[in-house]
Amino acid sequence: MNTRRRSPSTVPSPTRRRLAALSCLALAALPPWARVLAAQPDQALRKVRVGMLDSLSEAPALIAYEQGYFKEEGLDVEFVSFSNTADMVAPLSARQLDVASGAPTLALFNGALRGLPFKLVADKGRNSPGHGFNALVVRKDLVDSGRVKSIADIKGMKVATPSRHSPMELQLDMALRTAGLGLNDVGLEQLAFPSMIAALTNKAVDAALMIEPLVTVIAQRQIGTRLLGFDQTSPEFQIAGIIYGPSLTQADSDVGRKWMVAYVRGIRDYLDSLDGRGSREVTERALSRHIEAFKNQELLKKVVYPGFDPDGYLNLRTIKDSMAWYAGLGLLKTQPRLTDLVDYRYLDYALDRLGRKGPPQGVK
């Protein structure tokens, strides 16, 4: 008896059709990114290294990773944790990092004036109404006693700031102005965020400029009280932005465009999860899997999350306000042109593919 195995081309057509149908069903059962890889088995993923600040505003990028959106674009994303943006500058310049994040700071503006090949390319968190991610926290005993009821009552008090002349100080300045005060009416003391908890506990300071989840942690420990979220006094203030380094801005490559497609999808999933259009678990799972501080699921249910533009655009008006503030302090001799600082080419590509939620925006 001839037992030679028949080649696929000699299998009867009904059998071939059944095999094809089974293959399609198996492929359909895979997650989207796996279907892409199965269809292109020989296509290697492009490595992209992303600096991360272990902040709630990392959620959209982490969601994009967990949902497989980066892999769908052929990208292998690796997150690298940093304690601050300044520590990302050297590896970003050396092309050891491709993507970073940072606030609209004096260092960023001076870098643009020096022609550094970094570009702000997308939103990474803002104080949208109801999303006061940055807040002024006051010692609980001062609030409970009635000594502090509003921003006007912190006149003459000692306020902890994470760094001098930071965007947090600008937001405090804007809040003080609503009460006819200014930064000269308070005493500022620079402290790292963890040290602020001890300082409030020991009554070494009266108030602190803080970010979530520390605002919620302090309230849970009954050390301090959120006096106001800065969404009340500086609404839509741009907290941070996505920064592309020279490996993306100077390369004739579509990696930056593809990364942005996945990222914008992550932003929209994030907003859906907060607004009830999607599962809150999407955001909580992404944060808890990647950031040690967010392993506590109960904490994630109580924090105030940052806002985002659904199309990923930056609030350029508040960035201009920041530059003007630094110039007013004499710290910025020349204000850089926004076109030297911001590049929307990657975002526009992503929105052309995904569709826009609002009108196109330009840089000028």
Side-chain angles (χ1 to χ4, degrees):
M1 179 182 297
N2 184 0
T3 59
R4 181 172 59 85
R5 184 175 299 170
R6 289 181 291 186
S7 68
S9 61
T10 63
V11 176
S13 58
T15 303
R16 287 202 306 274
R17 286 195 295 271
R18 285 195 296 272
L19 289 173
L22 288 173
S23 296
C24 289
L25 287 172
L27 192 61
L30 295 173
W33 62 264
R35 293 201 294 272
V36 172
L37 296 184
Q40 300 174 337
D42 297 327
Q43 182 176 339
L45 295 178
R46 167 68 183 270
K47 172 74 77 174
V48 181
R49 289 171 61 84
V50 179
M52 183 171 68
L53 291 174
D54 292 351
S55 162
L56 286 169
S57 64
E58 306 294 348
L62 296 177
I63 289 170
Y65 179 89
E66 288 294 319
Q67 297 292 91
Y69 299 153
F70 290 121
K71 286 189 175 179
E72 283 188 47
E73 298 300 322
L75 305 178
D76 177 17
V77 167
E78 177 187 356
F79 293 102
V80 184
S81 291
F82 290 84
S83 59
N84 56 67
T85 302
D87 291 342
M88 297 187 198
V89 172
L92 198 64
S93 301
R95 302 176 184 243
Q96 296 167 346
L97 274 184
D98 304 295
V99 181
S101 62
T105 62
L106 181 62
L108 184 65
F109 300 143
N110 278 326
L113 290 173
R114 295 198 306 272
L116 293 181
F118 306 148
K119 294 290 185 182
L120 279 170
V121 294
D123 188 1
K124 192 179 174 286
R126 56 177 63 192
N127 284 322
S128 303
H131 294 279
F133 170 79
N134 293 350
L136 175 64
V137 173
V138 176
R139 280 189 356 233
K140 189 172 186 297
D141 63 293
L142 293 173
V143 175
D144 289 349
S145 68
R147 171 68 180 81
V148 176
K149 298 178 181 178
S150 70
I151 185 69
D153 298 325
I154 71 167
K155 182 178 181 179
M157 292 188 173
K158 188 177 289 186
V159 181
T161 177
S163 61
R164 290 310 318 272
H165 307 125
S166 68
M168 292 286 280
E169 281 190 18
L170 167 55
Q171 292 172 84
L172 175 61
D173 195 9
M174 296 173 75
L176 288 167
R177 287 180 207 168
T178 65
L181 303 174
L183 290 179
N184 291 334
D185 292 301
V186 297
L188 294 169
E189 181 169 339
Q190 183 172 329
L191 291 173
F193 284 124
S195 299
M196 291 183 189
I197 299 177
L200 288 166
T201 303
N202 300 329
K203 300 185 179 181
V205 298
D206 304 300
L209 304 175
M210 305 204 78
I211 62 172
E212 289 284 12
L214 293 178
V215 177
T216 298
V217 168
I218 284 177
Q220 287 180 330
R221 296 182 185 179
Q222 301 205 1
I223 298 168
T225 299
R226 173 193 283 261
L227 185 68
L228 62 84
F230 287 129
D231 58 318
Q232 299 169 248
T233 51
S234 47
E236 301 295 347
F237 186 88
Q238 193 68 55
I239 301 169
I242 293 291
I243 301 172
Y244 276 5
S247 61
L248 298 183
T249 61
Q250 294 183 341
D252 184 18
S253 166
D254 62 353
V255 173
R257 293 187 290 272
K258 290 183 175 181
W259 194 94
M260 191 61 68
V261 171
Y263 179 67
V264 172
R265 292 179 70 187
I267 288 177
R268 291 176 177 178
D269 283 2
Y270 167 80
L271 292 175
D272 285 349
S273 76
L274 297 187
D275 294 342
R277 295 189 298 268
S279 171
R280 186 69 165 258
E281 185 183 349
V282 170
T283 292
E284 294 173 358
R285 182 176 64 244
L287 287 166
S288 64
R289 285 186 178 179
H290 291 268
I291 299 178
E292 185 65 30
F294 300 131
K295 298 297 183 185
N296 183 342
Q297 294 284 319
E298 291 306 309
L299 178 63
L300 286 177
K301 296 183 187 305
K302 297 175 181 177
V303 298
V304 176
Y305 286 88
F308 277 80
D309 181 83
D311 284 338
Y313 285 117
L314 296 152
N315 188 330
L316 300 184
R317 177 184 56 80
T318 69
I319 292 177
K320 287 181 178 179
D321 290 343
S322 296
M323 289 192 286
W325 186 71
Y326 286 116
L329 294 174
L331 299 173
L332 191 64
K333 302 303 181 185
T334 304
Q335 297 182 44
R337 295 176 300 178
L338 283 177
T339 50
D340 293 332
L341 184 66
V342 179
D343 189 344
Y344 278 160
R345 288 179 298 165
Y346 312 97
L347 192 55
D348 286 336
Y349 170 85
L351 296 174
D352 285 344
R353 278 185 53 183
L354 300 174
R356 298 173 187 270
K357 302 292 186 179
Q361 298 183 29
V363 183
K364 54 185 177 180

